[in-house]
Structure formats: structure tokens, C-alpha cells
Amino acid sequence: MKFSFDRDAMIKEIAIAQEIITNKSPISILSNILLSAENNTLVIKASDSSVNFTTKIPVDVKEEGTTTVFCDKFMSILASSPAGEIEFDQEDVKVTIRPIAKKIKFQLKSIASDKFPPVNNADKVPFFDVPAKDIKEMISQSIFSVSEDANRYFMTGVYFTKKDDNLVMVATDGRRLSYASKAIAQGITDFPAAIIPVKILGCILKNAPDEGNVSLAVVDKLIFVRFGNYEFSSLLLDGQFPNYQKVIPENQTSSFQVNKADLDSALKRTTIMIDKKVSRLLFKAAPGTLTLISPETDIGTAAEEIPCRYDGPEVTIALNYLYVTEPIKVINAENIVFEFTEAMKAVTMRPEPAADYFHIIMPMNLN
């Protein structure tokens, strides 16, 4: 097996393969990438046994063949090599890598390609297309709310479903919930609701372009994703996702509105004094003002007042500040509204004007 390739083009592909690989042991086949050279094309595959990645790049193939190499070391070799052409030459279990512009060669041991796990075939999968910008926005509005509790594995992913002409994504950890819905499902055949692991969603978010479409398919407890020359697949999470609709308040009688930039700045200052093990921040709303207060600890306290549109009775709500700061990063609006009924009931955080996403936060005890 022998071929040459452009260093920068290869680095781009191997960087994505590294995102997939979790096993870093050089003796494990799952630490390796599969390389198949044929017809002046190199097929690259990576897997962690549940998430798979496939891509193709043009190369100059002199001898066709297939092998696997340790991904991390291959990437280190590429990163240390100068830009330009690199030659890849395999004989038996040794791979020689020679940057053409330098009098240096690296040798890597390979593992036979027949040891590499099979990658799910998507040739006959019923894909549907969605705008890349829309699906990436839905992911960004939900992914941070998944649970990190391995005992509730069915909440460690994002729930994905089709509802009439809308695609819906929901994530919750039991103390907060993020919901995003877009009317982009016209003409899409119904598919089974799925709980998608965050790893493959992160790959879409990081690598999919903002323009064009992303192709998706949900079949046989698997999700397939295509965009550009990339193809991903992942096992879905088993289990019954919570009935999120029961968590969404039907009617909240009170609300206050603040400027996003004002709130963001105040949060960065007042949370300096917060006990990070507790993460509780008090939101004290009064007509015209919102005061953020970090409860007093052995270290001290902090408070900051910002303008607020509110005309109801004074109320204090305790919230985990992380559940506020994370949505702020992805809310694309100048103003943010907090809707509530009373201090110990669910709070809805949304952009103003209202959009196709919102976040629900369960309050904490005031003391």
C-alpha cells in the first residue's frame, strides 16, 4: 500500500477522527483509524464502537491497499511535518511516513484492517434533508441541558422527534429543560422518536457548515448523518425519555424582562462570590429593577442591581446560576424574559421577542 497526500488536507480529516476515538491505548484497534486507498481516493474510518465516522479525500495512489494506524501518533506526525506532500508506504506491519520537504521518515506499526470493527452501512438508509443552520441552532439550544448522571442514561442524550411539520429537540437533567422546535419537517416521512447521544450532536455542531443541508436518518436504533464528504452514525440511547410536556408550564402569570448584556455582565460579577458547590444565586425582582445577590458565605457576598421591566409585587427566586449562564450564551436576542407564577414553581427563560426555543429552570430553596 503506497500513496501520497497533501498534509493540510489530511490534518483536517484526522482531527475529526480524533473527536470520535476515545480509547487512547496504542494496542487497541479502536485507537486506530482505518485507511483504504483505491482509485486515487483514500477512505478514512474511525470508531469508538458506538459512534462511527467515514470520510474520503483525493490522494495519489501508487499501490492500493488497506491498513490501520494509531490515530494520535499519526496526527502528531502530520502536525510536526511541514506543509506539502507526504508519502505513506506500508510493508507488512510497518508504515513509513516521509514528508517530501524534509529528510526525515517516521515509522508506525499497523494493525491488520480485518481487526477493525464493521461500520454501519448507510447505502439504503432513507435520509431526509434539513437546513444545516437550523439543525445546528436546535442542537446548540438543547445540548447543554442533558443529564450527566449515568444511572439515568436515557437523559444523557437529546430527545429528537417529529411533531406535525416541526422537528423538536428536548434535553433535561431533571432540574432544567431546554426545548427547540423548527418548522422544517414538511415532506419528511415520520420516523421513530430517538434519544441522540451528545457525542454525535457535538460532531454536527462543530463540523457541519452553516450553509446548505445536513442529511439525517433514524432507523433500527441508529442515527445516520451526512454533510459534505462526511458520514457519521451512532447508536441511539435506549430507555423512555421523560414526558417533557408535563414540565412545560401552560400559563405563567408574571414575568420580568432584562437586557441580555446587562444580565450577562452582572452574572459574571456576582457569581465570583458564589459557593460553587451550591451554585445558588438570588434573583430579586421589584418594579424597575432586578437585583442579583450571591448568598453570604464565609468568603463574603455580592449584589448588583440592573434595570428591569417588571410591575408586579417584589419577589425573590433562587436559581442555579449555571442554568442561566448557559442559555445566555446561545440566546440570540437583545432582551431576555423570565416567566413565572410563584417563587418555587418552574421559571421559563426565553428571548424577547419569543422564538422557537425556550429554557425551563426549577428554582432552588431560598435558604
Side-chain angles (χ1 to χ4, degrees):
M1 179 181 182
K2 188 175 182 179
F3 61 90
S4 59
F5 58 89
D6 177 73
R7 176 253 194 191
D8 292 345
M10 182 70 79
I11 281 180
K12 181 182 175 184
E13 312 303 315
I14 303 304
I16 301 176
Q18 279 189 311
E19 296 173 27
I20 302 299
I21 293 171
T22 53
N23 192 323
K24 303 301 181 183
S25 169
I27 62 173
S28 169
I29 191 65
L30 291 180
S31 300
N32 284 27
I33 50 172
L34 178 70
L35 304 175
S36 300
E38 186 179 10
N39 297 327
N40 286 333
T41 299
L42 182 71
V43 178
I44 304 167
K45 296 183 180 182
S47 176
D48 72 352
S49 77
S50 61
V51 179
N52 301 313
F53 165 66
T54 301
T55 186
K56 298 178 181 180
I57 60 170
V59 296
D60 183 11
V61 177
K62 298 176 177 64
E63 294 178 18
E64 296 182 348
T66 302
T67 192
T68 77
V69 294
F70 185 32
C71 183
D72 276 4
K73 288 301 181 186
F74 186 42
M75 185 61 164
S76 295
I77 291 169
L78 296 176
S80 69
S81 299
E85 189 176 8
I86 295 178
E87 188 176 82
F88 184 105
D89 189 0
Q90 183 199 17
E91 290 187 10
D92 297 324
V93 295
K94 283 187 178 180
V95 171
T96 301
I97 301 168
R98 297 187 185 91
I100 302 302
K102 288 283 184 180
K103 292 183 178 180
I104 182 174
K105 69 177 181 180
F106 301 90
Q107 284 194 326
L108 277 176
K109 290 184 178 180
S110 62
I111 301 178
S113 58
D114 59 4
K115 305 291 185 182
F116 199 82
V119 173
N120 299 309
N121 191 314
D123 289 346
K124 297 182 180 180
V125 169
F127 281 95
F128 58 87
D129 291 341
V130 294
K133 182 178 180 181
D134 288 336
I135 201 71
K136 288 177 68 175
E137 182 176 313
M138 292 177 69
I139 295 170
S140 70
Q141 291 292 345
S142 58
I143 193 170
F144 54 82
S145 288
V146 302
S147 174
E148 296 180 355
D149 184 354
N151 292 322
R152 297 193 290 180
Y153 60 91
F154 52 89
M155 292 166 62
T156 61
V158 176
Y159 184 73
F160 181 52
T161 190
K162 177 178 177 285
K163 189 175 181 181
D164 299 325
D165 285 339
N166 288 20
L167 292 182
V168 176
M169 283 190 173
V170 185
T172 182
D173 63 6
R175 297 173 297 275
R176 59 174 167 176
L177 180 145
S178 292
Y179 177 97
S181 174
K182 287 191 178 292
I184 54 174
Q186 297 91 339
I188 293 176
T189 303
D190 288 350
F191 57 85
I195 307 175
I196 307 174
V198 296
K199 187 172 185 178
I200 192 168
L201 294 175
C203 289
I204 298 170
L205 200 55
K206 182 175 180 180
N207 299 297
D210 291 332
E211 304 298 326
N213 290 329
V214 168
S215 299
L216 303 173
V218 178
V219 289
D220 299 329
K221 298 183 179 181
L222 291 165
I223 183 168
F224 294 86
V225 183
R226 280 178 176 170
F227 53 86
N229 59 315
Y230 303 139
E231 183 176 293
F232 299 85
S233 65
S234 173
L235 291 172
L236 298 170
L237 297 177
D238 285 330
Q240 182 66 45
F241 196 78
N243 186 350
Y244 66 89
Q245 292 173 323
K246 286 186 176 181
V247 180
I248 301 172
E250 291 184 4
N251 184 33
Q252 292 174 297
T253 55
S254 302
S255 67
F256 59 84
Q257 177 180 313
V258 292
N259 177 269
K260 174 185 169 180
D262 288 346
L263 178 61
D264 191 26
S265 297
L267 282 166
K268 289 174 181 175
R269 288 185 284 268
T270 53
T271 56
I272 291 172
M273 304 302 292
I274 278 185
D275 180 348
K276 297 302 188 287
K277 294 180 181 178
V278 179
S279 302
R280 183 172 62 244
L281 184 67
L282 305 182
F283 289 69
K284 183 178 179 181
T289 63
L290 175 69
T291 306
L292 275 58
I293 307 166
S294 64
E296 188 169 355
T297 66
D298 293 339
I299 300 172
T301 185
E304 182 169 343
E305 185 180 289
I306 60 175
C308 169
R309 291 184 60 181
Y310 177 62
D311 57 7
E314 184 175 292
V315 62
T316 300
I317 303 173
L319 299 175
N320 184 321
Y321 79 92
L322 293 172
Y323 296 173
V324 179
T325 57
E326 288 179 328
I328 280 179
K329 295 174 184 177
V330 293
I331 288 178
N332 185 24
E334 184 176 346
N335 296 305
I336 295 175
V337 168
F338 291 81
E339 299 174 335
F340 61 98
T341 301
E342 54 186 79
M344 289 306 298
K345 289 192 175 181
V347 175
T348 301
M349 180 180 177
R350 64 166 178 81
E352 177 57 37
D356 46 19
Y357 58 86
F358 56 81
H359 309 278
I360 296 183
I361 308 168
M362 295 306 298
M364 304 174 75
N365 292 326
L366 288 170
N367 299 316

